[in-house]
Amino acid sequence: MRGHVVLLAVSALAALAAGCAFSVEPDRSPGAEADAEHQDPSNDDPGDRPADPSDPGQDWPGDAPAPTEPVIPDACAVLAAELTTLARDFVDALADDQVPGGVFGVIVDDCLFTYAVGADREGAPIDGATRFQMASVSKLFAALTANSLVEDGLLDKHAPVSSIVAVNDRAPYDDAFTLDSLLAHRASYPDWFVSDDGSQLDRAPFFNAHANEPLWAPPGEVFVYNNQGYALAGRVLEIAGGASYAELVQTRVLDPLGLSDTRLGTTLDPTELHSAAGASGMPSSFTLFGSDDPFYRSEIYEPMGGVWSSARDMVTLGKAIIERDPRLLSSASIDDLTESRGPSSGKGTDYAQGLMVLGDIWTHDGATGGFLTELTMVPSRGVVLAVMVDADWSFPYPFAYGAIDLLAPGLDYGTFPPTTPAAHWAGEYTDDVIFGRVVITADGDNLTLSFPDADVGPGVPTTMTAELVGDDTYYGPF
């Protein structure tokens, strides 16, 4: 197992107290499952592929075109000044952090506007139709597809998952988890398995081989962000729907809304034009990942992060959700999709299904090798914003926040409780599944974790320091 960055948030500490481990993941190539939510800059996890500073890395496919003046569509004329400001701010934000390229899209009522910087995989200018690897924003597509199957009577989200697919959905606890709890990251299904070497990338044999994995905590008790749980959800959907996961998303989400730029990993043609290349590492030395990457095209990654989409498709999807477009789902199903299932690991942020809820905002972001993405909706204002960049070392959060504030001023962002003192988390916890005893001590604002009973493989430390990087959010190498 290579070095990983571990997110240790309040939910993870609660999970330890309930008898579960916090999230680390098997070493897959290229390690894209290190994708993790990052609701604010303090939670930014660009993945587990830091470039070797001694390696000169790869060259970009071509010279990036110079930024152009934005072209304002007639339907956006009333917002011309705001959109011109956003375009210039976007150029500045990417230049400041040496991000080679990106795109943002906006829908406000009938105005659809996109603006892009940089070059795609073939060296052509990025535009509103260029496909980016969407990472965890892909989870929204799984949640939408699940609710579509529920509407058609093909699936019961509240039934034990073992009634649909042969996996352990309760032991060593009493109550079973459901698809509803999987989609809300509250199933306590393991996010990694000690026995998983990362070589099996097809869903059916993967879950057949891991049918009896013990849960990390009692279902429903804690929020633990779970990529593997979404992979399992994809398996549930294809069994219930009688078709492959990619086919279900295509027929139930993409085709009804005419999202012609969007592809699923297993159906993506890597030779097709208009896809971005993602730079992983640092501005001076990076590795490029693109649509030909085998992990990004795998079944196991598809429900958790495997969507490739454009800015114009993503804001069109967001508009359909906030307007409760019946081609997608009924209004009642949209209500269910966006209803909070409880707090997430982001301070002041709840999680619904495939979406985080932050006051008046519905949002999700994604991080994986070479790509950082975000989709944000403000249903009360008719505003949708999609932002995608083709590097994993910096996401333009100030730009994204500023764009929402400019287009939808005066929003309610909800309540943010104060940061809990580090000493509050000090003590001894027990993980019955993997780590055994976990001893946590406070060191100023940071935490030191020791695992005196752990034996999970060579190179895994028995002590680590977790640094406070945000409200009740800690990072440490594992």
Side-chain angles (χ1 to χ4, degrees), residues 211-378:
N212 297 308
E213 301 289 344
L215 305 191
W216 282 2
E221 280 203 10
V222 294
F223 175 96
V224 178
Y225 192 84
N226 194 322
N227 287 312
Q228 207 72 271
Y230 262 76
L232 176 58
R235 181 65 181 144
V236 170
L237 298 186
E238 60 190 0
I239 292 174
S244 71
Y245 176 79
E247 183 179 349
L248 292 172
V249 176
Q250 186 72 44
T251 57
R252 292 175 177 274
V253 180
L254 308 186
D255 289 346
L257 299 180
L259 304 182
S260 59
D261 300 330
T262 304
R263 306 286 185 270
L264 274 293
T266 59
T267 61
L268 180 70
D269 179 356
T271 66
E272 190 174 8
L273 301 181
H274 306 304
S275 288
S280 180
M282 60 189 72
S284 61
S285 177
F286 54 80
T287 301
L288 291 177
F289 292 99
S291 54
D292 58 345
D293 183 87
F295 185 78
Y296 288 160
R297 300 180 61 220
S298 70
E299 285 188 355
I300 202 73
Y301 184 58
E302 201 168 44
M304 68 172 88
V307 170
W308 290 74
S309 192
S310 67
R312 69 181 183 184
D313 271 10
M314 290 307 302
V315 293
T316 299
L317 175 63
K319 180 179 174 69
I321 293 172
I322 65 175
E323 293 186 348
R324 291 168 162 72
D325 190 327
R327 295 176 299 169
L328 182 62
L329 289 173
S330 68
S331 182
S333 291
I334 295 293
D335 287 343
D336 183 61
L337 174 86
T338 58
E339 181 181 358
S340 168
R341 266 55 173 189
S344 76
S345 58
K347 198 71 175 288
T349 306
D350 287 0
Y351 204 93
Q353 293 193 331
L355 284 171
M356 289 172 272
V357 180
L358 182 67
D360 290 341
I361 292 174
W362 301 337
T363 186
H364 211 296
D365 45 14
T368 193
F371 299 91
L372 299 174
T373 62
E374 185 170 78
L375 175 67
T376 298
M377 294 163 273
V378 188

Side-chain angles (χ1 to χ4, degrees), residues 110-314:
D110 294 326
C111 162
L112 191 162
F113 172 80
T114 63
Y115 184 80
V117 177
D120 68 11
R121 184 184 61 185
E122 288 79 30
I126 294 172
D127 60 25
T130 302
R131 280 180 292 277
F132 282 69
Q133 216 297 299
M134 295 307 299
S136 273
V137 179
S138 305
K139 292 177 172 66
L140 175 58
F141 291 78
L144 290 166
T145 302
N147 281 276
S148 176
L149 290 170
V150 170
E151 283 193 346
D152 287 351
L154 298 174
L155 180 62
D156 180 357
K157 284 196 305 181
H158 301 286
V161 164
S162 61
S163 67
I164 303 170
V165 59
V167 295
N168 171 43
D169 59 8
R170 66 185 68 209
Y173 308 102
D174 295 328
D175 296 328
F177 67 76
T178 66
L179 180 61
D180 192 272
S181 57
L182 270 180
L183 296 174
H185 301 293
R186 303 188 72 84
S188 295
Y189 188 72
D191 197 30
W192 68 288
F193 310 127
V194 173
S195 59
D196 175 23
D197 63 5
S199 62
Q200 179 54 260
L201 300 179
D202 294 332
R203 280 185 299 269
F206 180 87
F207 288 109
N208 287 342
H210 297 286
N212 297 308
E213 301 289 344
L215 305 191
W216 282 2
E221 280 203 10
V222 294
F223 175 96
V224 178
Y225 192 84
N226 194 322
N227 287 312
Q228 207 72 271
Y230 262 76
L232 176 58
R235 181 65 181 144
V236 170
L237 298 186
E238 60 190 0
I239 292 174
S244 71
Y245 176 79
E247 183 179 349
L248 292 172
V249 176
Q250 186 72 44
T251 57
R252 292 175 177 274
V253 180
L254 308 186
D255 289 346
L257 299 180
L259 304 182
S260 59
D261 300 330
T262 304
R263 306 286 185 270
L264 274 293
T266 59
T267 61
L268 180 70
D269 179 356
T271 66
E272 190 174 8
L273 301 181
H274 306 304
S275 288
S280 180
M282 60 189 72
S284 61
S285 177
F286 54 80
T287 301
L288 291 177
F289 292 99
S291 54
D292 58 345
D293 183 87
F295 185 78
Y296 288 160
R297 300 180 61 220
S298 70
E299 285 188 355
I300 202 73
Y301 184 58
E302 201 168 44
M304 68 172 88
V307 170
W308 290 74
S309 192
S310 67
R312 69 181 183 184
D313 271 10
M314 290 307 302

